[in-house]
Amino acid sequence: MFGWLTKKGKIHDAAFGLYTALVTQARQPEFYQQGGVADTKEGRFDLILVHAFIVFRRLKTSPAQKELAQQVFDVMFADMDQNMREMGIGDVGILKRIRKMSESYHGRIVAYEEGVAAGEETLGAALNRNLFADTSVSEAQITMMSKYVYAAIDHLSTQEDSALMRGEVSFPAPPYEPSGF
C-alpha cells in the first residue's frame, strides 16, 4: 500500500547523492587555483551549474531517469534557498534571487548544450561568457575546461543507469597540472 513512499524516498535519496557528488566535484580547489574560476559565490554557483549540466545531460539519455533529473533539480534549488536563508536573506529577496538563478541555469544549459554540439571552440566561448565572466583567464584555461566538460560527459556515459538511480556518480579529475598555468 505504501510502496510509492519507498520509491519517492529512494529517488530523493538518489537525487541528494547525485547533487552532493556534483557539488563536491565543483569544490575541487584545482578549478579555482589553476583553472581560473573565480572563488566567489558567483564562480562557485557557475561551476556547480557546469557540473549540473553534465549530470542532467547524462540523465536525459534514459527516459526512466526523468523523475530523478527533476528531483536533482529540486534538491539543487532547495539547497540554494537554504544557503541564502543562512546568509540572512529574507523570503522576498530569496524568491527574486531563486527566479534569477533559475533563469541563469536555463540559459547556461542551452549555451553549454549548443557548445557541446558545435565543438570545443563554441563550448569555450560559452564557458568564457558564463563560468569565466568575472575573471581574466588564458585561452589555455578555457581550452582545459572545455576538454574537461567533454571528458566528464564521456566519463558519465560509461556509468550504469542503476548506479545513477542509487545516487552514485563519479567525475574525472580536474584537468590541471599541479604547477598551474
Side-chain angles (χ1 to χ4, degrees), residues 54 57-58 116 146-159 170-172:
I54 294 164
R57 191 171 200 279
R58 170 59 179 87
V116 166
S146 294
K147 289 181 185 290
Y148 169 78
V149 170
Y150 283 110
I153 288 169
D154 289 343
H155 183 80
L156 266 70
S157 73
T158 66
Q159 295 177 33
S170 67
F171 294 89

Side-chain angles (χ1 to χ4, degrees), residues 37 46-47 49-51 53-54 108 111-112 115-116 119-135 137 141-150 176:
V37 176
D46 276 314
L47 194 54
L49 293 186
V50 168
H51 287 89
F53 160 72
I54 294 164
R108 283 163 174 77
Y112 297 151
V116 166
E120 194 174 299
E121 188 175 317
T122 304
L123 177 59
L127 290 167
N128 194 33
R129 279 191 315 275
N130 296 295
L131 180 62
F132 298 117
D134 297 329
T135 61
V137 292
Q141 288 168 310
I142 294 169
T143 299
M144 291 298 285
M145 182 55 83
S146 294
K147 289 181 185 290
Y148 169 78
V149 170
Y150 283 110
Y176 307 105

